[in-house]
């Protein structure tokens, strides 16, 4: 009986904790999969990815008409990558949302 009461108290305490911090590693970037402490793998369905961790690139191709010269100059330069997004091997900080059904990818870990 005492063990049941202790277990109920522990379960109630865990349920009251809104988030838990953990670390993971990106094992696949398309589709996105993150392994958590080498225990289990989370796929995109369980991850909340902020915009700051998504790939962002801009297209710099453009052309100019030069007045008086009678021609068109085309500036070369395809796409410039502003953010690479999450890639295989990246270490990430995860916040477990209450209930443990979703994880917010807070940021990448660098230098660790």
């Amino acid at each position: 009986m005492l063990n049941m009461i202790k277990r109920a108290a522990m379960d109630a305490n865990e349920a009251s904790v809104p988030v838990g911090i953990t670390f993971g590693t990106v094992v696949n970037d398309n589709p996105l999969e993150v392994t958590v402490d080498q225990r289990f793998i989370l796929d995109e369905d369980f991850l909340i990815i902020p915009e700051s961790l998504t790939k962002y690139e801009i297209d710099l191709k453009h052309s100019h008409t030069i007045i008086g010269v009678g021609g068109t100059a085309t500036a070369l330069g395809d796409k410039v990558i502003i953010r690479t997004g999450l890639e295989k091997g990246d270490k990430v900080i995860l916040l477990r949302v209450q209930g443990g059904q979703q994880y917010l990818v807070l940021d990448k870990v660098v230098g660790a």
Side-chain angles (χ1 to χ4, degrees):
M1 177 74 157
L2 182 60
N3 286 337
M4 289 175 59
I5 294 171
K6 286 180 182 179
R7 181 69 185 154
M10 287 175 42
D11 290 345
N13 186 38
E14 286 180 16
S16 69
V17 178
V19 296
I21 299 173
T22 189
F23 295 90
T25 303
V26 177
V27 291
N28 193 8
D29 54 13
N30 191 13
L32 184 61
E33 294 179 333
V34 174
T35 183
V36 178
D37 298 328
Q38 299 178 345
R39 293 183 296 155
F40 55 93
I41 294 178
L42 300 169
D43 62 23
E44 290 178 341
D45 294 336
F46 295 95
L47 298 170
I48 302 167
I49 311 296
E51 182 182 18
S52 62
L53 293 175
T54 60
K55 186 173 184 176
Y56 179 55
E57 59 186 25
I58 56 174
D59 190 357
L60 292 181
K61 270 190 188 170
H62 60 282
S63 63
H64 300 278
T65 302
I66 302 170
I67 299 173
V69 178
T72 300
T74 301
L76 297 177
D78 291 328
K79 295 184 179 194
V80 173
I81 297 174
I82 305 298
R83 291 188 308 259
T84 60
L86 293 173
E87 297 176 324
K88 185 175 181 177
D90 285 344
K91 306 264 189 259
V92 293
I93 304 167
L94 301 166
L95 297 178
R96 188 190 73 224
V97 178
Q98 187 172 10
Q101 295 301 309
Q102 287 195 306
Y103 288 76
L104 169 64
V105 181
L106 187 61
D107 210 344
K108 292 182 187 182
V109 177
V110 293

